[in-house]
């Protein structure tokens, strides 16, 4: 992979603000998000949940395709197109992930990753209300992502919101198993922040992040914060 850009380091000068937003998000989740996900998980059979998850992953295609092209991954964009066509037809609008069984890999690319590939390297951590952990860079990418995503388009242009709600509930249900670890964590904010940044680094480097240069890391700690 391209090594000209470097991994995201923890830049959290807004930690006080971020912690307040985190605990607000946790309160809202415990009041609304988690109960809705628990009910959904109990009344919806696992095969149906899997089909719904497959469907929403399949319609991520336009965003994934655009970002693969913007990153110069033309071969992967072709595979992604083939995957979308197979799952949209044989897989019945994406409810069944036929493409994976045919050996067609799934790609997960967004505008935040594209900005990182283009040189927007380290960015301040930012906890977003409702949306959760992010960085300034990925917040910008999320706004672009939201505009182009089919679910957002349907809600924005046709005032049809149930697909967005279903997608959010399905996503929340997929994280129910992690609730225990979060509830038992000594510092849930640090756990969420560090886990998210690590996962983000993994995605930016396509699963092959570089080893940390600790000398450079210590030097960077003495430099002004990233924007």
């Amino acid at each position: 992979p391209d090594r000209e850009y470097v991994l995201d380091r923890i830049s959290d000068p807004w930690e006080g603000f971020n912690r307040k937003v985190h605990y607000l998000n946790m309160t809202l989740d415990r009041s609304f998000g988690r109960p809705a996900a628990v009910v959904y998980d109990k009344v919806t059979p696992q095969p149906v949940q899997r089909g719904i998850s497959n469907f929403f992953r399949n319609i991520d295609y336009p965003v994934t395709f655009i970002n693969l092209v913007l990153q110069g991954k033309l071969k992967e964009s072709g595979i992604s197109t083939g995957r979308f066509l197979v799952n949209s037809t044989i897989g019945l609008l994406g409810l069944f992930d036929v493409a994976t069984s045919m050996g067609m890999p799934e790609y997960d690319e967004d505008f935040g990753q594209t900005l990182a590939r283009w040189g927007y390297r380290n960015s301040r951590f930012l906890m977003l209300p409702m949306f959760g952990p992010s960085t300034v860079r990925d917040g910008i990418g999320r706004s672009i992502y939201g505009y182009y995503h089919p679910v957002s388009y349907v809600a924005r242009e046709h005032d049809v919101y149930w697909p967005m709600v279903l997608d959010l509930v399905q996503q929340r249900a997929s994280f129910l198993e992690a609730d225990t670890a979060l509830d038992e964590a000594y510092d849930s904010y640090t756990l969420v922040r560090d886990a998210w940044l690590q996962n983000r680094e993994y995605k930016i480097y396509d699963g092959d992040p570089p080893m940390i240069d600790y000398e450079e890391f210590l030097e960077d700690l003495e430099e002004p914060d990233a924007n």
Side-chain angles (χ1 to χ4, degrees):
D2 183 355
R3 301 297 181 138
E4 292 183 358
Y5 55 97
V6 296
L7 78 162
D8 280 302
R9 302 182 178 95
I10 297 176
S11 176
D12 193 8
W14 300 328
E15 182 174 347
F17 168 80
N18 288 331
R19 282 184 176 275
K20 291 177 182 178
V21 175
H22 169 70
Y23 293 120
L24 171 63
N25 288 344
M26 291 280 288
T27 299
L28 293 174
D29 179 67
R30 288 168 179 161
S31 300
F32 304 102
R34 185 184 298 182
V38 169
V39 172
Y40 170 83
D41 187 60
K42 287 183 178 180
V43 303
T44 308
Q46 286 299 317
V48 176
Q49 290 190 41
R50 186 162 53 250
I52 293 173
S53 179
N54 289 340
F55 172 80
F56 283 111
R57 278 165 40 205
N58 189 56
I59 62 174
D60 279 342
Y61 162 75
V63 174
T64 299
F65 175 80
I66 291 172
N67 284 285
L68 286 170
V69 172
L70 291 175
Q71 294 177 33
K73 300 177 179 179
L74 301 183
K75 178 181 177 181
E76 291 85 349
S77 67
I79 295 174
S80 184
T81 298
R83 179 183 176 84
F84 174 74
L85 293 175
V86 167
N87 282 344
S88 296
T89 53
I90 302 175
L92 302 179
L93 300 179
L95 293 174
F96 299 95
D97 185 4
V98 180
T100 295
S101 63
M102 295 174 62
M104 304 175 72
E106 180 180 9
Y107 298 101
D108 179 15
E109 302 288 349
D110 57 48
F111 290 99
Q113 294 176 63
T114 296
L115 290 173
R117 299 284 299 204
W118 285 0
Y120 193 163
R121 300 178 178 179
N122 300 306
S123 181
R124 292 182 179 184
F125 184 74
L126 177 63
M127 187 68 72
L128 298 174
M130 304 295 292
F131 293 102
S134 182
T135 62
V136 174
R137 179 199 62 220
D138 292 297
I140 296 171
R142 184 188 293 272
S143 65
I144 301 173
Y145 171 93
Y147 186 82
Y148 284 99
H149 196 279
V151 171
S152 298
Y153 175 83
V154 169
R156 183 176 66 250
E157 300 296 331
H158 302 286
D159 295 326
V160 178
Y161 295 96
W162 67 263
M164 181 180 294
V165 173
L166 179 59
D167 186 22
L168 291 173
V169 173
Q170 170 60 41
Q171 289 186 48
R172 181 61 184 87
S174 69
F175 289 107
L176 285 175
E177 293 183 358
D179 284 353
T180 300
L182 190 62
D183 291 339
E184 295 177 352
Y186 175 76
D187 185 352
S188 63
Y189 171 76
T190 300
L191 175 64
V192 170
R193 181 195 64 189
D194 293 358
W196 186 88
L197 287 174
Q198 182 178 11
N199 178 260
R200 197 65 182 154
E201 176 191 2
Y202 181 87
K203 289 184 176 181
I204 289 172
Y205 287 100
D206 298 330
D208 186 23
M211 296 295 292
I212 298 177
D213 184 338
Y214 286 100
E215 292 184 2
E216 181 183 356
F217 176 74
L218 292 175
E219 290 176 0
D220 286 352
L221 289 179
E222 300 175 359
E223 297 177 357
D225 292 322
N227 293 317

